Amino acid sequence: MSVNKEIRRVTTHVLQKMKHDGERISMLTAYDFSMAKIFDDAGMDILLVGDSASNVMAGHETTLPITLDQMIYHAASVVRAIKRSFVVVDLPFGSYQGNSKEALNSTIRIMKETGAHGIKIEGGEEIIESVKRIISAGVPVMGHLGLTPQSIYKFGTYAVRATEDAEAQKLLKDAQLLQEAGCFAIVLEKIPALLAKQVAETLEIPVIGIGAGKYVDGQVLVMHDMLGINKEFKPRFLRRYLNLYDDIYNATQQYINDIKDRDFPNDSEQY
Ligand code: KIV
């Protein structure tokens, strides 16, 4: 099955119908206008302005340093490019943990200043009041369970989560709570495929996986990983569709050589 051309604009209702019809949901991160335009033209269902921008755009080791203002800058650039995709923006670390009012205020800034369609928030039971408050303000919320990178210092590693029964049970309970609170979808990151399958089969809302196996309702990757811009990051769950690092490196060397050799510009490339 390829891109569903009948869908002119992806909404939460469209995503719900995709789950109902068994049509897999495609999702990819985007942080800037030009890439978002290509992804939207290609038919991506959801574009996530992820706080992974902290790593791949700003070069930080974790997602913790990125600010709400920086997320808004990236999200506004992405939204300017899209016609079809549903745009979700991560609430960055420090913009919602204080209380549900802080979470709502950060969400309102994102919605007003970017034109995005919804937000994503990491966590389960501990953020459920915030989720309810944001949804009661009319904003679609996507949950995020499993490996939640904003808690990396609590976990200590980026290893697979919920391999032990206690954590798996908590994840199942949290997923149920997020659905009951009104989330339109949930991301599951780096958990065993059979646990993700159980969540996807139990919940009525779409479950999107990253390193969560093939039984969920959709897949998301970080664009730099999917396009092979990062050479070092090679988790088992990643499929690279290009090796852009090598292509860009080679093109850049060619450009440098052409300048040094006085080959560029040539007669037809000048006025
Ligand atoms: O920030 C991000 O890119 C994410 C994805 C890994 C789901 O949250």
Side-chain angles (χ1 to χ4, degrees):
M1 188 189 272
S2 55
V3 175
N4 187 339
K5 295 256 164 54
E6 281 166 22
I7 299 166
R8 301 188 56 175
R9 183 115 226 177
V10 179
T11 63
T12 54
H13 295 285
V14 167
L15 296 167
Q16 187 61 55
K17 184 167 182 307
M18 285 179 177
K19 166 142 187 166
H20 180 264
D21 296 348
E23 178 181 342
R24 291 291 197 245
I25 296 168
S26 60
M27 175 164 155
L28 187 63
T29 66
Y31 316 97
D32 73 296
F33 177 88
S34 301
M35 296 304 289
K37 181 155 182 4
I38 300 173
F39 300 153
D40 183 72
D41 286 348
M44 193 62 60
D45 296 319
I46 304 177
L47 286 179
L48 171 66
V49 184
D51 59 357
S52 48
S54 181
N55 310 105
V56 295
M57 300 302 286
H60 294 296
E61 210 174 296
T62 72
T63 57
L64 276 68
I66 199 159
T67 65
L68 183 58
D69 283 339
Q70 288 164 340
M71 289 300 295
I72 286 172
Y73 168 80
H74 288 297
S77 308
V78 166
V79 170
R80 268 178 232 124
I82 58 103
K83 294 195 185 76
R84 178 188 184 278
S85 307
F86 189 83
V87 179
V88 178
V89 183
D90 262 331
L91 279 185
F93 180 71
S95 72
Y96 64 92
Q97 286 89 349
N99 54 54
S100 62
K101 187 159 189 289
E102 183 184 37
L104 179 61
N105 287 343
S106 299
T107 300
I108 288 173
R109 278 203 61 203
I110 288 173
M111 300 303 282
K112 270 188 179 298
E113 295 177 40
T114 73
H117 309 128
I119 61 99
K120 176 162 82 56
I121 182 166
E122 291 186 6
E125 193 173 7
E126 62 286 359
I127 48 108
I128 221 70
E129 282 316 308
S130 298
V131 170
K132 286 184 185 159
R133 196 156 179 178
I134 294 166
I135 292 170
S136 68
V139 178
V141 173
M142 176 179 270
H144 184 156
L145 298 171
L147 177 63
T148 46
Q150 291 178 14
S151 303
I152 187 58
Y153 292 120
K154 186 174 88 182
F155 297 148
T157 83
Y158 286 99
V160 182
R161 303 301 315 173
T163 50
E164 303 292 331
D165 192 52
E167 194 178 341
Q169 291 308 320
K170 174 163 166 39
L171 188 142
L172 286 165
K173 187 169 158 228
D174 281 343
Q176 196 68 47
L177 284 174
L178 288 168
Q179 171 168 281
E180 281 162 19
C183 283
F184 74 93
I186 293 180
V187 164
L188 294 180
E189 181 165 353
K190 224 171 173 189
I191 64 167
L194 290 181
L195 176 61
K197 178 176 193 265
Q198 201 182 338
V199 178
E201 285 175 356
T202 311
L203 296 194
E204 277 149 37
I205 57 174
V207 174
I208 319 270
I210 173 165
K214 62 182 182 182
Y215 305 110
V216 288
D217 306 304
Q219 299 292 330
V220 56
L221 285 176
V222 169
M223 58 159 267
H224 290 67
D225 304 334
M226 189 277 272
L227 295 172
I229 297 173
N230 295 332
K231 264 179 114 80
E232 307 79 24
F233 187 63
K234 307 183 217 170
R236 172 171 169 171
F237 68 77
L238 175 62
R239 186 180 293 181
R240 287 209 179 102
Y241 288 82
L242 281 175
N243 281 305
L244 269 193
Y245 180 94
D246 290 337
D247 291 348
I248 295 172
Y249 180 93
N250 291 336
T252 307
Q253 284 216 317
Q254 187 63 50
Y255 173 61
I256 294 168
N257 291 344
D258 287 354
I259 294 170
K260 303 282 182 196
D261 293 346
R262 299 171 186 236
D263 177 80
F264 176 76
N266 62 25
D267 289 347
S268 64
E269 289 163 332
Q270 64 187 3
Y271 298 100

